[in-house]
Amino acid sequence: MRLRTPLALLGAAVLVLVGPPLLTAGSGAETGTQIPGLRFMVPNTPGGGYDITARTAAKNAEDAGLTHNIEVFNLPGAGGTVGLSRLVSEHGNGKLAMSMGLGVVGAVRSNDAPKTLADTTPIARLTEEQDVVVVAKDSPYRTIDELIGAWKKNPGKLPVGGGSSPGGPDHLAPMLMAQAAGIAPKRVNYIPFDGGGELLASILGNKVAFGVSGVGEYLDQIKAGELRVLAVTGPERVDELKDAPTLKESGYDVNFTNWRGIVAPPGLTDAERDKLVRLVEKLHESDEWQKSLRQNGWDDAFLTGDRFGAFLDAQDKRVVSVLKELGL
């Protein structure tokens, strides 16, 4: 799928001056945010929410002059826990960070992963966004009521796809939707994909009846008419998708949002951790990032350091509670 904000691998520009080099007002040297050799891991396939977030953040940081030549790379597998294991193994590496979110929290639980987010260094929560319920443009379902009516008749015959493992956002959202519609969550035929890119191909190829994923992942395809959005999962309509009702206003008592953030390996010095936090703080303040929030339909949910660590612990408890409530 086309990314609106691909990573620009910028080469270092050398300016030959007579006398000592000058620092511009927005330079990373001046703000203390330059991290030479910084690498940004994406724990799922290209085209998913973690991937778009990471590449957007990297490009915005470079465009704002905060740091340069950030390498973004994908290491997919097991809902993000392969990447998580790699991150934890890089003990003390202050030049590595990982894009992640609620999906990784759920994958740790569903895969009984040996490494958890408690083993990482929390850096920041960046965004929050609603999920969208989407179908292919040639789908027979034109409204959320039509889809749920057919789903209730035979839940197993209408597979729903999501870009996260069981326990992740794209799994929890349709399970809560099923519960609100009077469908036993255990009867739902949920098919997990390793990111929104893989899920998109299955929706367009009619391999699943409908899909659930983040707003920012499929905004381009919805606007291009390749996908039809039937509803959004959050508390109010999305500005970019004003015609799409919320599940709640459609009569289904669901209010669900996803979030994404950044973690780093364990064992960082205070200086290394603080430099990564300072980089994302300056990124958050930048015009480039604020513009990207608007363009991608992301809500600002900025939270750093220890407060983000406490949030991660609470999210883990929330996933366990919701799965238990749903009988899953």
Side-chain angles (χ1 to χ4, degrees):
M1 67 184 280
R2 179 178 69 84
L3 300 183
R4 290 184 301 284
T5 52
L7 174 66
L9 296 175
L10 302 177
V14 180
L15 179 61
V16 180
L17 299 170
V18 177
L22 302 176
L23 297 179
T24 63
S27 72
E30 185 180 77
T31 57
T33 57
Q34 285 285 353
I35 306 178
L38 178 61
R39 305 179 77 215
F40 206 170
M41 184 198 305
V42 177
N44 63 7
T45 54
Y50 300 151
D51 188 70
I52 295 172
T53 303
R55 294 181 189 278
T56 300
K59 184 178 188 300
N60 288 170
E62 291 180 342
D63 288 349
L66 300 176
T67 193
H68 300 286
N69 299 325
I70 304 172
E71 179 192 349
V72 180
F73 68 99
N74 298 79
L75 185 63
T81 56
V82 170
L84 176 62
S85 179
R86 163 72 179 276
L87 186 84
V88 174
S89 74
E90 296 272 348
H91 189 278
N93 184 352
K95 296 186 176 184
L96 179 65
M98 186 179 84
S99 175
M100 49 70 70
L102 179 57
V104 175
V105 178
V108 166
R109 286 292 177 181
S110 61
N111 291 298
D112 196 22
K115 302 299 181 183
T116 74
L117 290 164
D119 297 313
T120 70
T121 299
I123 302 300
R125 185 183 67 189
L126 294 176
T127 65
E128 187 175 54
E129 72 172 338
Q130 302 194 39
D131 269 359
V132 286
V133 180
V134 292
V135 295
K137 63 181 179 181
D138 57 352
S139 168
Y141 309 114
R142 306 196 67 83
T143 68
I144 190 67
D145 283 334
E146 288 178 0
L147 172 65
I148 289 182
W151 200 23
K152 289 175 72 172
K153 289 178 181 177
N154 199 336
K157 289 290 180 68
L158 263 73
V160 51
S164 58
S165 296
D170 298 353
H171 171 252
L172 294 178
M175 293 300 166
L176 291 169
M177 191 168 115
Q179 184 184 54
I183 301 169
K186 285 185 177 181
R187 296 186 64 201
V188 174
N189 181 7
Y190 177 77
I191 301 178
F193 296 88
D194 208 351
E198 290 186 1
L199 171 61
L200 177 62
S202 292
I203 299 171
L204 295 177
N206 293 311
K207 293 181 180 178
V208 294
F210 65 104
V212 177
S213 194
V215 171
E217 294 180 66
Y218 292 156
L219 203 53
D220 277 356
Q221 287 70 31
I222 293 168
K223 288 182 175 181
E226 296 174 13
L227 293 176
R228 181 185 305 136
V229 57
L230 302 184
V232 296
T233 65
E236 56 190 36
R237 296 194 182 202
V238 176
D239 287 342
E240 295 275 4
L241 302 169
K242 281 296 188 184
D243 291 337
T246 67
L247 286 170
K248 197 149 192 172
E249 71 181 278
S250 301
Y252 308 100
D253 191 14
V254 176
N255 181 356
F256 182 87
T257 56
N258 185 18
W259 57 268
R260 296 191 181 94
I262 301 171
V263 292
L268 302 192
T269 65
D270 288 347
E272 288 171 328
R273 181 199 60 200
D274 291 348
K275 197 162 194 176
L276 282 166
V277 170
R278 188 160 56 248
L279 173 60
V280 294
E281 285 175 340
K282 293 298 182 182
L283 169 68
H284 176 253
E285 294 170 5
S286 72
D287 291 340
E288 289 83 355
W289 179 250
Q290 293 301 317
K291 181 179 178 181
S292 292
L293 289 176
R294 294 189 297 271
Q295 288 179 334
N296 287 285
W298 296 335
D299 293 324
D300 193 349
F302 196 60
L303 193 67
T304 61
D306 292 340
R307 291 175 63 203
F308 179 44
F311 172 79
L312 289 177
D313 183 58
Q315 287 289 286
D316 181 58
K317 292 180 172 65
R318 177 195 176 205
V319 166
V320 173
S321 174
V322 172
L323 289 175
K324 184 177 180 180
E325 178 190 339
L326 294 173
L328 301 172

